Amino acid sequence: MKENLVVAVVGATGAVGREMLNTLYTRNFPATTVKALASSRSAGTKVPFGDEELLVEELTENSFEGVDIAIFSAGGGTSTKFAPYAVKSGCIVVDNSSAWRMDKRCPLIIPEVNAHTLKEHNGIIANPNCSTIQMLVALKPLHDVAPIKRIVVSTYQAVSGTGQKGIQELETQVRKLFNGIEPENEVYPHRIAFNCLPHIDVFLDNDYTKEEMKMVNETNKIFEDDSIKVTATCVRVPVFYSHSESINIETTKKLTAKEARAILAKAEGVQLYDNPKENMYPLAGDAAGEDDVFVGRIREDESIENGLNLWVVADNVRKGAALNAVQIAEKLLEMNLVHVKDRNLFM
């Protein structure tokens, strides 16, 4: 393992950035130095890191000299601009935005699913969409036994997926409604309090949203199989933390619900929570603050020959973002891949 390991978190003042710092600390990530980087607006402020605080430095093109790994959570525009400068400095980037996910030069990684493709990295490694991460952590163990040929998924996504502004909007709207005041919508196109919005990200020409197509395209890339058919409907719900997903899969051979439970009970990163007779099934409130992906309501789809239904829940800020990114960094160390092959590839 490299001595004097220096790690930077870009976007350290945001909700996910703060969780990344917390995850680095609680998992005892072996960094000698951790740097907090953010925009000029936040420079000079402090962010918590365990029992201490880190002084936030302004993100510039020269911020990555001497940095070994930079974990980005500052939006696609920031990643597009600054990740190439990080690589040119010899730093490996783990990026949480959508900027590099479908770039053929960049592996798209869920450590429990496709860590082997890290060997192909060129300096920028993409963190998948939060909804894709939890879905594929649950499906990969089943896919290894009975290859999946079709996925139909409906998501129920927490407002924290929009960041701190989404959390604040839900809280503000609930308070106003309880006081008989009609709230305004600033973050979402409609009121999110006591409502469900079948609209996450922008609508595309095919009438799917960008979020829905992310799940389609990212699944094919991560599973390395474009023949798998995926269709998604993504819904924003008035929950603060944890995304829930109703997933239907069709496999190439029969996989019973009992067999699926046995497989998932032993799967890495998964907690099986499935006993309907005792009202035991994953809940967003239970998954909040947890690292694992929770799976329950496993049952055979009686409308087709080889089908299963699952209910999958995970904390979108932790496993859906911060934890997955830190796990990627851990894998880089474990596989001795903390180096950049071509510093100019993205310039």
Side-chain angles (χ1 to χ4, degrees):
M1 184 180 295
K2 188 180 186 298
E3 295 182 2
N4 300 318
L5 188 73
V6 179
V7 175
V9 173
V10 179
T13 57
V16 174
R18 288 172 180 267
E19 189 61 37
M20 286 174 171
L21 289 170
N22 178 58
T23 304
L24 287 168
Y25 181 83
T26 56
R27 290 176 71 86
N28 296 313
F29 190 84
T32 307
T33 302
V34 177
K35 297 177 64 175
L37 302 174
S39 68
S40 57
R41 297 189 308 274
S42 300
T45 61
K46 293 182 178 180
V47 289
F49 185 67
D51 298 328
E52 303 177 1
E53 290 184 319
L54 301 178
L55 183 68
V56 177
E57 302 174 36
E58 180 181 356
L59 173 65
T60 71
E61 296 168 1
N62 300 315
S63 293
F64 304 98
E65 294 297 332
V67 176
D68 298 292
I69 300 173
I71 305 176
F72 276 62
S73 185
T78 299
S79 295
T80 300
K81 178 179 179 180
F82 288 100
Y85 287 104
V87 175
K88 189 172 179 63
S89 297
C91 172
I92 296 175
V93 171
V94 180
D95 182 47
N96 193 53
S97 79
S98 61
W100 302 99
R101 289 175 186 160
M102 300 312 298
D103 191 306
K104 293 182 179 179
R105 297 168 293 181
C106 306
L108 184 61
I109 299 294
I110 304 171
E112 298 93 336
V113 176
N114 65 333
H116 65 279
T117 60
L118 275 174
K119 292 181 289 186
E120 303 165 10
H121 89 77
N122 294 295
I124 298 177
I125 298 155
N127 209 35
N129 183 45
C130 48
S131 299
T132 307
I133 289 173
Q134 68 184 70
M135 179 172 76
L136 298 192
V137 168
L139 294 188
K140 181 58 163 61
L142 305 178
H143 182 58
D144 287 342
V145 175
I148 296 169
K149 64 180 184 179
R150 186 167 186 256
I151 302 169
V152 180
V153 56
S154 295
T155 71
Y156 307 83
Q157 297 182 220
V159 294
S160 52
T162 316
Q164 194 62 39
K165 60 184 180 180
I167 296 171
Q168 290 172 347
E169 177 136 314
L170 175 56
E171 183 177 353
T172 299
Q173 288 184 352
V174 168
R175 290 182 185 276
K176 286 188 173 182
L177 286 168
F178 274 143
N179 286 282
I181 303 170
E182 184 62 31
E184 297 178 349
N185 313 315
E186 296 180 0
V187 176
Y188 302 112
H190 304 281
R191 174 171 54 83
I192 185 60
F194 309 109
N195 213 2
C196 296
L197 309 182
H199 176 185
I200 299 179
D201 214 318
V202 298
F203 282 100
L204 304 175
D205 289 341
N206 63 357
D207 290 337
Y208 283 82
T209 63
K210 192 174 181 181
E211 181 84 358
E212 290 160 353
M213 293 311 299
K214 285 176 188 176
M215 296 191 75
V216 174
N217 297 326
E218 292 175 19
T219 295
N220 292 147
K221 181 173 180 177
I222 292 167
F223 275 177
E224 301 177 84
D225 188 348
D226 290 337
S227 72
I228 299 173
K229 304 300 181 184
V230 184
T231 188
T233 300
C234 294
V235 182
R236 187 73 69 192
V237 296
V239 169
F240 286 115
Y241 294 98
S242 299
H243 293 345
S244 303
E245 298 177 346
S246 172
I247 303 172
N248 174 274
I249 60 172
E250 184 178 3
T251 55
T252 55
K253 65 178 184 178
K254 182 68 174 179
L255 188 66
T256 67
K258 183 178 180 180
E259 290 169 335
R261 290 188 194 99
I263 292 166
L264 290 169
K266 298 182 292 184
E268 181 185 1
V270 171
Q271 282 200 44
L272 183 66
Y273 208 71
D274 191 17
N275 187 354
K277 293 179 180 178
E278 298 295 330
N279 296 329
M280 181 186 291
Y281 34 73
L283 299 174
D286 294 334
E290 298 292 329
D291 288 344
D292 288 335
V293 173
F294 293 76
V295 185
R297 293 298 320 279
I298 301 171
R299 59 208 186 278
E300 292 169 38
D301 179 352
E302 297 179 351
S303 70
I304 56 176
E305 186 175 353
N306 299 328
L308 284 175
N309 289 301
L310 307 90
W311 179 251
V312 177
V313 183
D315 187 321
N316 54 296
V317 176
R318 290 177 73 92
K319 182 53 184 171
L323 174 62
N324 199 78
V326 172
Q327 286 176 312
I328 291 172
E330 291 171 344
K331 281 291 183 182
L332 287 169
L333 296 179
E334 179 185 320
M335 298 169 71
N336 194 28
L337 295 172
V338 188
H339 58 272
V340 176
K341 301 172 188 174
D342 183 352
R343 295 188 177 197
N344 297 303
L345 181 63
F346 298 96
M347 297 299 292

